[in-house]
Amino acid sequence: MNVSRIALAGGVAASTVLILAGTASAHVSVQPQGEAAKGGYATVNFKVPNERDNASTTKVEVNFPTDHPLASVMPQAVPGWNIEVTKSKLAKPLEMHGQKINEAVSKVTWTATGDKDERGIRPGDFQQFPLSIGQLPEDADQLVFKAIQTYDNKEVVRWIEEQKKGAEEPESPAPVLALTAPATGGHGAADDAKGSGSGAEAADKQTTAASDSSTSDTTARVLGIVGIVIGIAGVAFGVLAGRRRTA
């Protein structure tokens, strides 16, 4: 009897751990497609799971960081969802590609459309919301986005708690985008764009490299021929010397 009770208690404990683990991991998150390099541009996906068994998610709101504002934000169309991009004036203008930017995106909101029973993210499902964002800051290692998830039963879940160093994951963590080291040149896609406009310079470099390579090949061939001639002369000299000794 005691053995049965212990086994039952162990099973309940294990189930509780699994449930808590599932709850902790099922939250709004953001991941880049590839890398999000400092100073460049990136395409990111906000992944929104439905955590309720009796309600659907019908609205998702993502708030952008104010300490590192992003001037360029372009959402990708998501079937069954309306998208609204909200911009705000900046206290300190940004400079991008030689131009001053006085406003930046502060919020993107997705609202489900369609029939009431079929719209939104239903129980057991998740949805991804893609965005193209930039120019990413060069003086930060991550960007924190605060998300608000609304269900059709009027329940609102705020994913806004920031992770503190050395502390456990908060109950409702905010999505965090980790930034990687800058791409070659230090500005990622921005430098690539600049580089694409200097085709003549690149062509000149390629021509110079080809010329240098051709010169090296010619020199090598000349040295090879000279070596062969010297070798033949040496053999001939040896033969003549041998004949003289025999005579």
Side-chain angles (χ1 to χ4, degrees), residues 25-142:
S25 62
H27 54 75
V28 178
S29 60
V30 58
Q31 291 293 333
Q33 294 182 10
E35 292 186 348
K38 297 178 182 180
Y41 293 77
T43 298
V44 300
N45 285 321
F46 284 90
K47 182 179 179 181
V48 182
N50 193 319
E51 294 187 312
R52 300 295 179 262
D53 296 330
N54 57 353
S56 296
T57 297
T58 55
K59 185 178 179 181
V60 176
E61 177 184 309
V62 173
N63 293 276
F64 283 68
T66 57
D67 54 343
H68 295 290
L70 301 175
S72 175
V73 177
M74 293 184 293
Q76 181 177 332
V78 180
W81 296 81
N82 283 334
I83 306 173
E84 181 181 359
V85 179
T86 303
K87 294 185 178 181
S88 300
K89 289 186 177 180
L90 297 173
K92 182 179 179 180
L94 295 174
E95 186 171 342
M96 182 179 293
H97 305 310
Q99 296 182 351
K100 286 187 176 181
I101 307 298
N102 295 315
E103 61 179 13
V105 173
S106 58
K107 179 173 62 176
V108 177
T109 305
W110 292 267
T111 305
T113 61
D115 296 335
K116 182 178 180 181
D117 296 334
E118 297 294 331
R119 66 180 180 178
I121 310 171
R122 290 178 288 182
D125 294 343
F126 74 90
Q127 178 67 54
Q128 294 194 88
F129 300 94
L131 290 175
S132 173
I133 61 175
Q135 185 172 352
L136 300 175
E138 299 180 359
D139 57 348
D141 294 325
Q142 64 179 27

Side-chain angles (χ1 to χ4, degrees), residues 199-242:
E201 182 179 353
D204 290 341
K205 290 182 179 179
Q206 290 178 358
T207 302
T208 302
S211 177
D212 292 343
S213 177
S214 177
T215 302
S216 299
D217 290 343
T218 302
T219 303
R221 290 175 183 174
V222 171
L223 291 176
I225 293 172
V226 170
I228 293 172
V229 171
I230 293 174
I232 293 173
V235 172
F237 179 78
V239 171
L240 292 176

